[in-house]
Amino acid sequence: MPKVIGKDTGATSRAVEYETQLGQGGELHQTASDTGEEGAVLTTQQGVAVADDQNTLRVGPRGPALLEDFHFREKIFHFDHERIPERVVHARGYGVHGTFTLKESLAEFTTAKVLSEVDEKTPMFVRFSTVAGNKGSSDLARDVRGFAAKFYTKEGNWDIVGNNIPVFFIQDAIKFPDLIHAAKPAPDREFPQAQTAHDNFWDFITLTPESMHMVMWIMSDRTIPRSFRFMEGFGVHTFRLINAEGKGAYVKFHFKPRLGLQSVAWNEALKINGADPDFHRRDLWDAIDMGSPPIWDLGVQLFDDEFADNFEFDILDATKLIPEEQVPVRIIGEFVLDGLVDNFFAETEQVAFCTQNVVPGVGFTNDPLLQGRNFSYLDTQLKRLGGPNFTHIPINAPRCPVHNFQQDGHMNMRNPKGRVNYEPNSWGGPRESPTTGYRHFEEEVNGRKIQERSGTFSDHYSQARQFFISQTPIEQKHIGDALVFELSKCERIDIRERMVAHLRNIDERLATVVATGLGLAALPDPAPAASPPLADLPPSDALSIVKRAPGGFAGRKLGILVSDGASATLIKALTKAVKDLPAVHEIIAPRIAGAVLDDGAILEAKQKIDGGPSVLYDAVVLALSPEGAAMLAKDKTAKDFVSDAFAHCKFIGYTSAAELLLNKAGIASDEFDEGMVLLEGPKDAAAFLALCGQLRHWARELAVDLDAEAFLADSQAD
Ligand code: HDE
């Protein structure tokens, strides 16, 4: 359970755990200020009790302050230094603890105990993030999400620093600063924040054809997830497993959410950012806090040199994925994220992930992006955390013994005893272990020293096309909409045209829809392709969110708009049906005090309607009495609640009285569709919730939206 700040500022259970671990590397001197049990006396950092924390020491009640007031000076000095540099990318993030349990051994492929000892439980810390926005940006930016996992294994820390998208923009780490500079706000004006809808980004992208596959992913609904809980995670690169004989196997890591995939609509994302910029972190906090922790399966795609040699693309190229139809994802374990942090700064802000944190039995490949990352992460921590001893910070400290002769430096937390600090020595102390120590994979390497990209990295369009044709019509439409939206924010027409020229190598319909949406006078010629695109890659269902939808409402949130006089039995039946799934609900009312139901009981509201727009919910119910409906039908916010729910294709349950509000919100009775369900009484609640399991009634958007025709026509022809 989270600690309530102010009531309990003391050492929490996790902090105590850390103390034990740290003790193994040396002695930890826990400062008194960390231990504020109930009734503790406020002290300075030196442990001196404070008598007055309200007034500085001054000469007379109206006189100047005195330098002698060490408590005041220490307090302000410490406050002045509370900030550390935010991450240069992935600055906005949210971390939680969890546990990984291995279900199937990979002992045949790796010596790593975390991957071979079945039922072994390994503590974890996971940090979710956006990439481009700063620490204070909003959660629903259209952006890739980071999904970084640290496994505190018995053999040392192992990090999978992944994303929610299985490929990346670039093939070589040397282009990373350019990519990020282009994506972040322009240096002169420092806007736009947390978005790619601007000239610099699309300028760079359209001059970098290798990014085209990733562009399809970022323009898809993957970049506007409904929740961290409904996202996949991917290690992206091909890594290597190494077994006891020193033999290697290639591996790609996958995290699959048990709750299935789900995203929001773009117009909804824009509104969520205003209504609740912390939407994702609140969602995760609430789920864990109420005892419904999210679970992911850990899966691997394993393959060998023979597969790698025959695969259409280079397995070292991070702009390519291996379709699950070609190499199935083998589920080997699961992780449950059920632990909230005690302190955001200590854990989420100070956690330091690094791709080179691997354990014996897990290794690297020559992927040029991975090789560059192995340098970058360690390097960046030095700046961010201020010195080489960030591994002593509890969240980064391994939970296994640590013994070496590295010493001193800023903020050293260890206090080693004895005179020996070198090796070899005649005194004793830790020694190498040829049997259990980390062994790099042995590999024959030779070649000329060159700056050259392999020709096997030159196909930039085929998998972009494969991704696009794997989507359902509504997902294809959303990709088209997103491209038109983003490119419409670019002021330079040549940049818009350049993107359409690339799209012509991906899908002609998409290129045409985007060109029409942008009002281009003519279709530009296709961009020259370094390697001719393959037109025959088959669609892969695993790439679609809609095809991977869970088919149930579990873990989702129903918003119930109530008014005075609303039916108590209906609301009771709805809340019971929600709880049985299990899902959650929130009551929204014209006043925060709630509503007086038809049985005379007062139902407390969680949100006043102005603070609880329908964008915060997966489906909504309008449980209104005739008087309530008549009142709300005059209210602009209530009308927005309804028209947004309709526009975002949500399932809407309504009482017959609420039809008036729907009509006044611009939804005529003859427009009511199968996504709208009349709730005549409590008996209808369960069936409505079952329907909500489809998550969105996308047919509504396809039926009415102006740009839908191209994709619909095509899907009917297919
Ligand atoms: Fe990162 N990345 N990255 N990245 N990355 C960082 O490390 C970098 C890349 C990813 O929650 C930084 O501690 C380079 C791919 C995540 O703390 C930095 C390249 C993938 C996080 C860095 C990449 C990622 C980071 C910034 C190109 C998906 C947040 C702060 C070669 C597989 C981790 C930090 C957290 C963070 C460098 C590309 C994922 C600067 C040079 C590909 C999830 O070191």
Side-chain angles (χ1 to χ4, degrees), residues 87 90 127 161-163 173 176 236 353 369 373 376-377 381:
R87 289 164 176 80
H90 297 263
R127 184 174 177 274
V161 198
N163 278 345
F176 193 64
V236 175
F353 292 96
L369 206 62
R373 292 179 76 197
S376 176
Y377 288 72
Q381 310 310 350

Side-chain angles (χ1 to χ4, degrees), residues 471-547:
Q471 308 300 308
T472 57
I474 188 69
E475 291 171 300
Q476 294 189 334
K477 175 182 175 296
H478 287 174
I479 293 172
D481 288 348
L483 281 159
V484 173
F485 175 92
E486 297 254 327
L487 294 168
S488 299
K489 297 275 178 183
C490 293
E491 286 163 15
R492 284 182 56 162
I493 295 174
D494 57 332
I495 294 177
R496 297 182 196 157
E497 284 172 342
R498 220 154 53 205
M499 188 58 215
V500 175
H502 287 296
L503 293 177
R504 293 203 62 191
N505 292 333
I506 297 172
D507 186 275
E508 278 290 1
R509 286 168 312 163
L510 180 63
T512 311
V513 165
V514 175
T516 311
L518 293 171
L520 294 190
L523 267 185
D525 289 339
S531 181
L534 309 171
D536 57 353
L537 294 182
S540 160
D541 283 354
L543 305 180
S544 152
I545 297 175
V546 170
K547 291 177 192 165

Side-chain angles (χ1 to χ4, degrees), residues 354-407:
C354 183
T355 49
Q356 69 168 13
N357 290 351
V358 288
V359 288
V362 180
F364 311 110
T365 59
N366 294 335
D367 173 343
L369 206 62
L370 176 59
Q371 303 263 322
R373 292 179 76 197
N374 282 347
F375 162 70
S376 176
Y377 288 72
L378 191 60
D379 182 53
T380 204
Q381 310 310 350
L382 192 64
K383 182 74 180 170
R384 231 166 48 72
L385 297 164
N389 288 319
F390 61 86
T391 54
H392 301 191
I393 299 173
I395 194 68
N396 296 321
R399 314 244 174 125
C400 63
V402 173
H403 301 291
N404 56 52
F405 297 112
Q406 297 171 27
Q407 65 170 26

Side-chain angles (χ1 to χ4, degrees), residues 66-133:
L66 291 173
L67 258 183
E68 189 183 317
D69 187 349
F70 56 85
H71 169 53
F72 164 76
R73 277 188 292 122
E74 180 201 76
K75 187 175 172 183
I76 296 291
F77 147 81
H78 200 278
F79 169 75
D80 290 347
H81 301 279
E82 275 178 8
R83 294 288 174 271
I84 60 173
E86 67 173 37
R87 289 164 176 80
V88 59
V89 282
H90 297 263
R92 181 169 177 82
Y94 210 61
V96 286
H97 295 267
T99 306
F100 169 65
T101 309
L102 187 74
K103 302 281 186 193
E104 194 197 310
S105 173
L106 290 183
E108 187 190 333
F109 302 100
T110 177
T111 56
K113 290 193 171 139
V114 60
L115 295 176
S116 55
E117 293 185 347
V118 171
D119 291 334
E120 173 74 13
K121 294 198 180 313
T122 305
M124 289 176 78
F125 189 74
V126 168
R127 184 174 177 274
F128 299 102
S129 48
T130 52
V131 180

Side-chain angles (χ1 to χ4, degrees), residues 472-659:
T472 57
I474 188 69
E475 291 171 300
Q476 294 189 334
K477 175 182 175 296
H478 287 174
I479 293 172
D481 288 348
L483 281 159
V484 173
F485 175 92
E486 297 254 327
L487 294 168
S488 299
K489 297 275 178 183
C490 293
E491 286 163 15
R492 284 182 56 162
I493 295 174
D494 57 332
I495 294 177
R496 297 182 196 157
E497 284 172 342
R498 220 154 53 205
M499 188 58 215
V500 175
H502 287 296
L503 293 177
R504 293 203 62 191
N505 292 333
I506 297 172
D507 186 275
E508 278 290 1
R509 286 168 312 163
L510 180 63
T512 311
V513 165
V514 175
T516 311
L518 293 171
L520 294 190
L523 267 185
D525 289 339
S531 181
L534 309 171
D536 57 353
L537 294 182
S540 160
D541 283 354
L543 305 180
S544 152
I545 297 175
V546 170
K547 291 177 192 165
R548 283 275 167 114
F553 200 68
R556 272 67 182 177
K557 197 186 233 181
L558 181 69
I560 309 178
L561 177 63
V562 301
S563 67
D564 284 349
S567 160
T569 50
L570 172 63
I571 292 166
K572 202 165 156 209
L574 281 167
T575 53
K576 181 176 179 313
V578 166
K579 203 168 168 205
D580 289 347
L581 283 172
V584 290
H585 75 276
E586 239 170 57
I587 300 293
I588 307 113
R591 285 177 300 277
I592 194 66
V596 183
L597 302 185
D598 61 356
D599 64 353
I602 296 178
L603 179 66
E604 264 185 45
K606 172 80 179 173
Q607 304 284 359
K608 176 172 159 41
I609 184 142
D610 314 63
S614 61
V615 294
L616 302 182
Y617 309 102
D618 292 294
V620 296
V621 166
L622 313 174
L624 305 177
S625 64
E627 303 73 40
M631 183 186 82
L632 289 175
K634 292 188 211 134
D635 182 62
K636 182 78 182 72
T637 315
K639 287 192 269 189
D640 278 353
F641 184 97
V642 171
S643 67
D644 275 349
F646 186 76
H648 302 147
C649 299
K650 289 185 182 162
F651 287 93
I652 303 174
Y654 62 98
T655 55
S656 55
E659 194 167 337

